[in-house]
Amino acid sequence: MESPNKTARLAGALYLIVVLTGMFSLLYIPSKLIVWTDAQLTFNNIQASETLFRFGIYSGIVCYTAFLLLPLVLYKLLNHINKTHALAMVALALTSVPISLFNLSHKLAVLTLISKPEYLSQSDLPAQVLMQLEFYNNGIDIAAVFWGLWLFPFGYLVFKSGMIPKILGIFLMAGCFGYIINITGGLLYPDYQKLGISGIISLPSALGEIGTCLWLLIAGVRTKS
């Protein structure tokens, strides 16, 4: 039988891939290339750094592929704690994967727009590029619903297991509500981002996910003697 620590470290490695590629594609790339208030500058940035933009798409594919495998490995590690919560964790996490992968088609559409000669002559091309990026962001909002929801059963399993510090389980469960609050606020209140609270509300999920990732990868899990 495979040892729990070996399974834990596999989960930690997959989680680390998700975290690093997710930060690269969702945070670093937009910060370098996208100016939401200036379609022409965004278009120029992507044209000038097309290779970086392509790496962003590729890192997204790697991220979502790793996220397809991660809950399955976590299920193997934690299903003995509570099978119902373990199944809910897997179902909610996996639901986000096809949404996320299909959503990348908007970034691929941007590549088509900036690389095909028949499109380059269009005067409204920068606006079309920015629109595709807006569509991509909308898809991220849908996927984020499930990125948040899966954290509650996952956090519950971590909290109850005794194999991983309980504080990480608390952060994960709180992170679920942080996602939902940010998604609800962004949808129902157009000026929500101007309030400046979304980053604070997102903090528990960041602490919980990065902390759990590193704990699994470095320390493994506590096992009963």
Side-chain angles (χ1 to χ4, degrees):
M1 178 182 290
E2 187 172 303
S3 72
N5 272 314
K6 187 174 181 181
T7 303
R9 288 191 168 89
L10 175 58
L14 288 169
Y15 220 148
L16 185 63
I17 292 171
V18 170
V19 169
L20 294 179
T21 55
M23 291 176 66
F24 181 74
S25 62
L26 296 173
L27 298 177
Y28 180 77
I29 297 296
S31 73
K32 291 296 182 180
L33 301 181
I34 302 174
V35 181
W36 294 108
T37 56
D38 193 326
Q40 186 63 57
L41 181 55
T42 298
F43 176 79
N44 293 342
N45 288 343
I46 295 174
Q47 266 203 322
S49 304
E50 183 179 333
T51 299
L52 181 62
F53 188 75
R54 288 179 180 273
F55 268 110
I57 297 173
Y58 183 77
S59 67
I61 294 172
V62 173
C63 178
Y64 304 137
T65 302
F67 196 58
L68 178 69
L69 300 174
L70 173 61
L72 301 178
V73 178
L74 289 172
Y75 178 87
K76 182 177 181 180
L77 183 68
L78 299 170
N79 79 87
H80 67 282
I81 307 299
N82 186 302
K83 187 157 287 190
T84 299
H85 280 78
L87 287 171
M89 172 188 70
V90 171
L92 290 168
L94 293 187
T95 298
S96 74
V97 174
I99 298 172
S100 301
L101 286 171
F102 180 77
N103 192 44
L104 286 173
S105 64
H106 294 297
K107 285 191 171 181
L108 292 173
V110 170
L111 284 181
T112 300
L113 288 170
I114 68 171
S115 60
K116 298 289 185 180
E118 56 267 34
Y119 296 119
L120 290 174
S121 61
Q122 296 182 18
S123 60
D124 65 339
L125 187 56
Q128 291 185 52
V129 166
L130 194 61
M131 183 175 65
Q132 288 294 335
L133 294 171
E134 291 278 10
F135 288 161
Y136 173 77
N137 259 14
N138 292 340
I140 289 295
D141 288 340
I142 301 300
V145 173
F146 299 97
W147 294 345
L149 289 177
W150 90 289
L151 293 177
F152 190 86
F154 178 32
Y156 175 85
L157 292 169
V158 168
F159 182 82
K160 297 292 288 186
S161 70
M163 302 163 71
I164 303 168
K166 289 183 181 293
I167 187 62
L168 293 175
I170 293 172
F171 280 141
L172 289 168
M173 288 187 283
C176 167
F177 294 105
Y179 267 97
I180 299 305
I181 291 170
N182 279 336
I183 292 165
T184 303
L187 182 62
L188 299 182
Y189 183 57
D191 293 327
Y192 177 74
Q193 292 298 325
K194 295 180 181 178
L195 297 177
I197 62 173
S198 62
I200 298 172
I201 292 174
S202 299
L203 191 58
S205 64
L207 292 173
E209 294 201 77
I210 295 174
T212 302
C213 163
L214 295 177
W215 186 275
L216 290 171
L217 186 62
I218 298 169
V221 291
R222 301 165 181 159
T223 55
K224 295 180 180 178
S225 56

